[in-house]
Amino acid sequence: MTPRLQKLFDVLSAGGFAPKERLNELTVEVPSADYKKVCEKLKSDPQFGFEQLIDLCGVDYAAYGDVPREGPRFAVVAHFLSIKNNWRLRLRAFCPDNEFPVIASLVELWPSAGWFEREAFDLFGILFDGHPDLRRILTDYGFVGHPFRKDFPLSGYVEMRYDPEQRRVIYQPVTIDPREVTPRIVREKNYAESK
């Protein structure tokens, strides 16, 4: 661990957190009920000073590492930067309900979280309580499902195409014909003959 990372580790430990170090980065995992309160502390407390939200994303741990996971399935991961101290921190909170994942919004603390939370909602279906404009941002408004969930089919549920008779774009069930994918081996004429 570098001296700067060790100092952050010590400050976080003294502040009541239990940071974990992996690959020269620190992660703090908090319960979803304390998520927003911890973020407020990380931003406003001068000993931390994480004034910038770098990124926020959703994660689906349904089969993380090709092994079915026990416990909560969806998590929200936020990355923070303290410009004053030159520290970076990852904060992770699991949503308690797998069927209806909800967690507090950070838009009041960092307005830039709005776009990140909309993306996590659109792609994973994680709802952010208190978000002022939670709607889809990357997929169509008529899109069914959340495409980054691990149980979402790779081909999707519907496909979109232009219908020249109706002169508009239409949605229809996916029509992918199964086909055999056998590689064709092409060799020179006298490949196996010995010389």
Side-chain angles (χ1 to χ4, degrees):
M1 198 179 302
T2 64
R4 183 183 305 131
L5 199 62
Q6 183 64 52
K7 184 176 180 186
L8 174 59
F9 187 91
D10 296 340
V11 168
L12 288 168
S13 299
F17 298 106
K20 295 178 184 171
E21 188 267 335
R22 183 165 182 258
L23 301 174
N24 220 17
E25 294 178 353
L26 289 181
T27 302
V28 172
E29 191 169 309
V30 296
S32 61
D34 301 335
Y35 174 65
K36 189 170 184 178
K37 184 174 64 174
V38 166
C39 290
E40 288 173 353
K41 183 176 181 179
L42 290 173
K43 182 178 183 181
S44 61
D45 194 328
Q47 70 175 338
F48 302 121
F50 288 101
E51 58 267 331
Q52 186 172 0
L53 172 70
I54 297 173
D55 187 27
L56 185 145
C57 62
V59 181
D60 183 357
Y61 286 99
Y64 189 71
D66 297 328
V67 178
R69 180 181 166 85
E70 296 296 323
R73 175 179 172 183
F74 295 102
V76 173
V77 179
H79 294 102
F80 300 109
L81 172 66
S82 171
I83 298 169
K84 179 180 81 172
N85 299 315
N86 196 17
W87 290 337
R88 294 174 187 271
L89 178 68
R90 178 183 304 115
L91 182 76
R92 179 172 58 187
F94 282 93
C95 300
D97 186 4
N98 292 341
E99 298 302 317
F100 193 68
V102 180
I103 199 157
S105 174
L106 300 180
V107 173
E108 292 176 7
L109 299 171
W110 293 280
S112 64
W115 290 90
F116 298 133
E117 290 176 355
R118 284 180 63 189
E119 180 184 37
F121 163 70
D122 192 7
L123 300 177
F124 292 97
I126 299 171
L127 297 168
F128 291 88
D129 187 31
H131 192 286
D133 187 24
L134 195 60
R135 58 190 163 109
R136 292 194 179 269
I137 191 170
L138 295 173
T139 59
D140 248 0
Y141 290 113
F143 192 85
V144 177
H146 303 283
F148 279 12
R149 286 188 173 195
K150 294 202 175 160
D151 54 1
F152 190 81
L154 291 178
S155 60
Y157 296 112
V158 294
E159 63 186 6
M160 181 173 71
R161 69 174 179 85
Y162 180 76
D163 187 355
E165 294 173 5
Q166 296 182 28
R167 300 179 69 185
R168 66 181 186 94
V169 174
I170 61 167
Y171 292 92
Q172 64 187 39
V174 175
T175 55
I176 298 177
D177 297 326
R179 58 187 172 140
E180 186 177 332
V181 184
T182 306
R184 199 174 117 211
I185 300 172
V186 179
R187 295 196 173 122
E188 298 171 1
K189 197 172 197 177
N190 300 323
Y191 173 75
E193 295 176 10
S194 59
K195 294 183 181 180

